[in-house]
Amino acid sequence: MTYCVGIKLNAGLVFLSDSRTNAGVDHISTFRKMIVYERANDRFMVLLTAGNLSISQSVREILQVEQLKDPEGGEPITIWNARSMFDAARVLGQAVRRVYDRDAAALKHAGVEFNISMIFGGQIKGEGMRLFSVYSAGNFIEATPETPYFQIGESKYGKPVLDRVLTPDTPLDEAAKCALVSMDSTMKSNLSVGPPLDLVVYEANRYQTDRLVCIDMSNPYYRMLHSSWGQKLREVFDSLEDPVWDDAHTDTPLKVADSQNKPLKKITRPEEKLI
Amino acid sequence: MTYCVGIKLNAGLVFLSDSRTNAGVDHISTFRKMIVYERANDRFMVLLTAGNLSISQSVREILQVEQLKDPEGGEPITIWNARSMFDAARVLGQAVRRVYDRDAAALKHAGVEFNISMIFGGQIKGEGMRLFSVYSAGNFIEATPETPYFQIGESKYGKPVLDRVLTPDTPLDEAAKCALVSMDSTMKSNLSVGPPLDLVVYEANRYQTDRLVCIDMSNPYYRMLHSSWGQKLREVFDSLEDPVWDDAHTDTPLKVADSQNKPLKKITRPEEKLI
């Protein structure tokens, strides 16, 4: 499986991906799922892929040379000359459809679903940063201030912390930390997501970045995050009052006289009917 | 959807269920998913159900009267005379198969999968407490000290905290708190799981319980847990050092000279090939 997250903030963009792939638990390998497209002072784009690896790799290969017909009859649009991230995302969508036309039928005969999902974001000079979630059909949606992040792959374990922390005003490094905590929770609960991790942090209007790192389990910052988060989470948990069943002796009884609190009816004899 | 968790500890059992069902987001209702079977000083059993509601309700109805043939030719085995939780689980499994025989074909014609999953646990006098996870086929597995809990329904959001906290030695009320935090994270990230919550805490060798409560959002303890957990989680998150990219000024640099840390190759020109 896979877990990737892309975050769009006012300050910039954050991308994080794991690198474990598995075709069954007995066939686990390491493949990078992040690729960065950069032309200094012109455009910076990051693509994260999840799903069938043969499809992902084909899309990445084709994306290099994919051309979209220009409606105004100008030169074909590629990710390298697109004037907007929207157009670049359309080129990506067409690359996906090209792979679909080439492989989907054969995959279907083999009982394999045409399954790929992508996060594609960045900035092209002349417009602001943009972040897209691209689907198997080549269609896509764009992140908005209300929803500043996208996840692909094993997204559920790591979602609560993102929901609690992220807003468009979140600083870049704090968002990077949040993504790493989200990844840490996912790796703790799901074996199919694993290191090394690829992290890219992009600062708005730079069109390049040097904040690009591959993190393995020996990375001091990740080790600190992993142990501190687990330990402090436990401390917070312990600091919370346990439920008290006798409401005479606490401000926060579990049982209250609230009329809506109807305890379950117990069934004490076979003859008795359900509620 | 649904989220239910059942926990088996040395001290006793904890069961928690939400009560939201949805057939599409425009058809959301409230149904209790927990039912308690109790005969004082003889047996205490709890059943949690997830999946298709018509199947769940049929199983609960049939379970009341379901009889399993006794191999030794004695009187038929029911959940009310079974001498072990294992036999009671077999009665439940047969009830599921009866509903399957009755409804599965018609459901299939309607394009509906025969989908039900259950957690069934408790204690019958003469043996220790037992906890089972029962599947659509009527087969089941039993919790062990290495895996002291089962989840059904939307299990992923709330799994990390269970993995971090629960062991067989966890005290009962602490486990109840853990289940409620797990439920809180799930409800925060998934609309299809919702209140009121049904919580049952069973103390070993009691064969009954008065720790049985329906918790809605006005419950003081749940309100405290919900706000404190969110707030303190945020405090812990803020207390963790942000990543520092210049490893000269920190003990935990994000970038290290570790040879295994190969940053991604950037693609800077269309001609350039992928890694």
Side-chain angles (χ1 to χ4, degrees):
Chain A
M1 197 61 176
T2 292
Y3 179 48
C4 301
V5 56
I7 306 169
K8 183 187 169 213
L9 309 157
N10 300 333
L13 299 163
V14 174
F15 300 90
L16 178 66
S17 63
D18 84 314
S19 59
R20 182 163 294 176
T21 66
N22 65 305
V25 287
D26 55 356
H27 186 188
I28 292 195
S29 334
T30 297
F31 287 94
R32 316 293 284 272
K33 298 157 187 178
M34 175 188 291
I35 186 160
V36 176
Y37 305 92
E38 176 184 294
R39 186 187 288 144
N41 204 34
D42 172 56
R43 65 194 56 213
F44 179 88
M45 302 175 288
V46 175
L47 175 63
L48 307 174
T49 55
N52 183 296
L53 186 62
S54 71
I55 300 172
S56 309
Q57 291 185 336
S58 299
V59 167
R60 283 161 41 140
E61 192 76 26
I62 290 177
L63 185 58
Q64 296 297 316
V65 295
E66 186 62 48
Q67 302 188 330
L68 204 62
K69 196 163 174 300
D70 178 14
E72 286 121 41
E75 72 173 270
I77 301 168
T78 73
I79 58 168
W80 293 104
N81 68 11
R83 284 202 218 79
S84 72
M85 280 301 295
F86 185 86
D87 281 351
R90 284 176 53 226
V91 175
L92 174 58
Q94 180 169 287
V96 175
R97 288 164 186 171
R98 205 170 293 276
V99 176
Y100 182 91
D101 295 339
R102 197 188 66 190
D103 293 347
L107 288 171
K108 193 170 184 182
H109 292 145
V112 179
E113 183 193 7
F114 187 84
N115 165 27
I116 180 175
S117 56
M118 290 149 289
I119 295 173
F120 184 58
Q123 184 174 23
I124 292 175
K125 203 154 197 171
E127 70 168 7
M129 302 172 295
R130 302 178 74 169
L131 181 68
F132 299 92
S133 180
V134 185
Y135 303 105
S136 301
N139 57 325
F140 49 83
I141 60 173
E142 182 170 9
T144 61
E146 300 72 33
T147 309
Y149 70 87
F150 287 128
Q151 303 168 287
I152 53 176
E154 272 296 349
S155 60
K156 294 184 178 183
Y157 305 103
K159 191 172 186 291
V161 68
L162 300 176
D163 288 333
R164 290 183 194 276
V165 171
L166 293 178
T167 75
D169 301 325
T170 307
L172 270 178
D173 286 338
E174 187 175 314
K177 181 175 65 172
C178 183
L180 287 168
V181 168
S182 172
M183 179 66 76
D184 185 49
S185 297
T186 305
M187 290 197 292
K188 181 158 183 63
S189 291
N190 189 302
L191 277 182
S192 73
V193 177
L197 312 175
D198 290 315
L199 172 67
V200 163
V201 174
Y202 170 78
E203 202 178 319
N205 309 318
R206 292 280 309 283
Y207 309 104
Q208 62 186 40
T209 190
D210 54 359
R211 298 188 174 184
L212 179 145
V213 65
C214 175
I215 301 170
D216 61 28
M217 296 304 99
S218 72
N219 180 286
Y221 181 75
Y222 184 78
R223 282 215 312 273
M224 179 282 292
L225 208 61
H226 176 74
S227 56
S228 306
W229 178 253
Q231 175 200 333
K232 292 188 174 183
L233 208 63
R234 184 54 202 253
E235 287 166 12
V236 166
F237 181 80
D238 294 340
S239 76
L240 295 174
E241 182 188 340
D242 283 344
V244 177
W245 292 86
D246 174 359
D247 52 5
H249 305 314
T250 172
D251 296 337
T252 56
L254 191 49
K255 286 185 174 179
V256 288
D258 186 319
S259 61
Q260 292 181 59
N261 275 21
K262 303 185 200 64
L264 283 171
K265 183 152 175 219
K266 297 184 196 173
I267 297 194
T268 52
R269 287 190 315 283
E271 299 74 38
E272 206 165 304
K273 274 268 150 276
L274 298 192
I275 312 150
Chain B
M1 195 63 178
T2 291
Y3 178 48
C4 300
V5 55
I7 305 169
K8 182 187 169 210
L9 309 156
N10 299 334
L13 299 163
V14 174
F15 300 90
L16 178 66
S17 64
D18 84 315
S19 59
R20 183 163 295 174
T21 65
N22 66 305
V25 287
D26 56 355
H27 186 188
I28 293 194
S29 335
T30 297
F31 288 95
R32 316 293 283 273
K33 297 157 188 178
M34 176 188 289
I35 184 159
V36 176
Y37 304 92
E38 177 183 294
R39 186 186 291 144
N41 204 33
D42 171 56
R43 62 193 60 214
F44 179 86
M45 301 174 289
V46 175
L47 175 64
L48 308 174
T49 55
N52 182 296
L53 185 63
S54 71
I55 299 173
S56 309
Q57 291 185 336
S58 299
V59 168
R60 281 160 44 139
E61 191 76 24
I62 290 176
L63 184 58
Q64 294 297 316
V65 295
E66 185 61 48
Q67 301 189 332
L68 202 64
K69 196 164 173 303
D70 178 12
E72 287 120 44
E75 73 173 86
I77 302 168
T78 72
I79 58 169
W80 294 104
N81 67 12
R83 284 201 218 80
S84 71
M85 279 302 294
F86 184 86
D87 281 350
R90 284 176 54 227
V91 175
L92 173 58
Q94 179 169 288
V96 174
R97 289 166 185 169
R98 206 171 291 276
V99 177
Y100 181 92
D101 296 339
R102 197 188 64 190
D103 293 347
L107 288 171
K108 192 170 185 182
H109 292 147
V112 178
E113 182 194 7
F114 187 84
N115 165 28
I116 180 174
S117 56
M118 291 149 287
I119 295 173
F120 184 58
Q123 184 174 21
I124 293 174
K125 202 154 198 172
E127 70 169 7
M129 302 171 295
R130 302 178 75 168
L131 181 67
F132 298 92
S133 180
V134 185
Y135 303 105
S136 300
N139 59 324
F140 50 82
I141 60 174
E142 181 169 8
T144 62
E146 301 71 33
T147 308
Y149 70 88
F150 287 127
Q151 304 168 287
I152 53 176
E154 273 294 349
S155 60
K156 294 184 178 185
Y157 305 103
K159 189 171 188 295
V161 68
L162 301 175
D163 289 333
R164 292 183 193 276
V165 170
L166 293 177
T167 75
D169 302 326
T170 307
L172 269 179
D173 285 339
E174 187 175 316
K177 181 174 67 171
C178 183
L180 287 167
V181 168
S182 173
M183 178 67 75
D184 185 51
S185 297
T186 305
M187 290 197 291
K188 179 158 185 62
S189 291
N190 189 304
L191 277 181
S192 74
V193 177
L197 312 176
D198 290 314
L199 173 67
V200 163
V201 174
Y202 170 78
E203 202 177 320
N205 309 319
R206 291 280 309 283
Y207 309 103
Q208 62 186 40
T209 190
D210 53 0
R211 298 188 174 184
L212 179 146
V213 64
C214 174
I215 302 171
D216 59 29
M217 295 305 99
S218 71
N219 180 287
Y221 181 76
Y222 184 78
R223 280 214 315 273
M224 179 282 291
L225 208 62
H226 176 74
S227 56
S228 307
W229 178 253
Q231 176 200 332
K232 292 187 175 184
L233 209 63
R234 184 54 202 251
E235 288 166 12
V236 166
F237 181 80
D238 295 339
S239 77
L240 295 175
E241 182 188 340
D242 283 345
V244 177
W245 291 84
D246 173 2
D247 53 5
H249 305 312
T250 173
D251 295 338
T252 57
L254 190 49
K255 283 184 174 177
V256 287
D258 187 317
S259 62
Q260 291 180 60
N261 275 20
K262 303 184 200 65
L264 282 172
K265 183 155 174 218
K266 298 183 195 174
I267 297 192
T268 53
R269 290 188 313 283
E271 299 75 39
E272 206 168 302
K273 276 268 149 274
L274 298 191
I275 312 151

